[in-house]
Amino acid sequence: MKKQITFITGNENKAREAQEILHPIKVKISDIGYPEIQDKIENVATNGAENAFKRLKKPLIVEDSGLFIDAYNGFPGPYSSYVHQTIKNKGILELMKNQKNRDCHFKSIVAYIDKDTTKIFKGKVVGKIAHQQKGKHGFGYDPIFIPKNKNKTFGQMDMEAKNQLSHRRKALKKLDHWLKKQ
């Protein structure tokens, strides 16, 4: 079993979540960055992991995720970060104003790489776009995403409740299960 994995991220909350799930493996954070290609998130994460591995030469993970809205054929998907930076949640709510179909999902891809293996792990959480922003917890689209069978947005949930449903957690749990078999 690996003793340490480097998580290529600048987000300490993501690293903390990974450490909790992957324990006893030590998760080291590195914000070395990587070029983000414009492609489906599976390819963004894999390309980022391969790029980082060429420089660090040690086992590492890269996580990429997105919000996929059914009524807009999965938009913003791989462009979620850019869309959030430009039109924010307010812009998504404006797009959804007259939409009856508010179904969507978050998807997370964790790409793992070492000298012998490149593997991806997927996590998904299904839900709906809220009619208005609610809650101050989390980040990004959390205040407008209501997970299936829940009546609160991720933004209204504390981190522990949100993390139990999280798409990232699901992907990291799959990685953890696979690592324990190695």
Side-chain angles (χ1 to χ4, degrees):
M1 183 200 258
K2 305 283 182 236
K3 297 201 185 314
Q4 180 173 302
I5 291 177
T6 301
F7 194 165
I8 308 301
T9 183
N11 186 325
E12 291 184 23
N13 290 325
K14 285 184 182 183
R16 212 175 354 267
E17 183 178 15
Q19 181 62 75
E20 174 191 317
I21 294 164
L22 299 176
H23 182 78
I25 296 171
K26 170 120 175 79
V27 176
K28 182 181 173 203
I29 191 170
S30 177
D31 192 9
I32 64 169
Y34 53 89
E36 275 201 42
I37 61 171
Q38 297 304 301
D39 202 348
K40 57 186 186 172
I41 65 173
E42 290 84 352
N43 295 340
V44 173
T46 301
N47 185 274
E50 289 168 350
N51 178 281
F53 187 78
K54 284 178 187 172
R55 292 181 282 152
L56 294 180
K57 307 243 186 292
K58 53 182 148 186
L60 60 85
I61 57 174
V62 167
E63 189 267 347
D64 195 48
S65 56
L67 174 67
F68 297 77
I69 301 171
D70 293 3
Y72 291 103
N73 299 316
F75 176 82
Y79 309 106
S80 293
S81 179
Y82 176 74
V83 168
H84 192 266
Q85 288 171 18
T86 55
I87 68 171
K88 306 196 180 330
N89 290 337
K90 197 174 194 176
I92 294 293
L93 292 175
E94 185 63 28
L95 281 173
M96 297 299 291
K97 188 166 56 176
N98 297 315
Q99 277 295 335
K100 287 184 176 36
N101 178 5
R102 302 184 80 81
D103 295 345
C104 62
H105 66 275
F106 273 123
K107 180 164 59 170
S108 171
I109 301 296
V110 173
Y112 169 86
I113 190 169
D114 63 25
K115 65 181 174 58
D116 301 315
T117 309
T118 301
K119 193 158 177 64
I120 63 169
F121 303 89
K122 299 177 184 180
K124 180 177 175 179
V125 61
V126 176
K128 294 190 175 300
I129 299 293
H131 289 275
Q132 62 188 24
Q133 293 189 70
K134 290 184 179 178
K136 299 196 182 328
H137 297 288
F139 59 93
Y141 298 107
D142 288 352
I144 63 169
F145 180 81
I146 303 170
K148 186 176 181 178
N149 299 323
K150 301 293 179 191
N151 58 7
K152 291 181 178 180
T153 67
F154 269 171
Q156 292 173 291
M157 297 177 187
D158 63 37
M159 285 307 276
E160 188 175 324
K162 177 197 167 192
N163 285 347
Q164 293 304 313
L165 304 171
S166 146
H167 48 298
R168 184 176 307 106
R169 178 179 206 79
K170 290 175 182 179
L172 287 166
K173 288 290 249 182
K174 289 175 183 176
L175 168 65
D176 182 56
H177 182 73
W178 179 78
L179 286 170
K180 285 187 167 109
K181 287 182 164 183
Q182 300 305 303

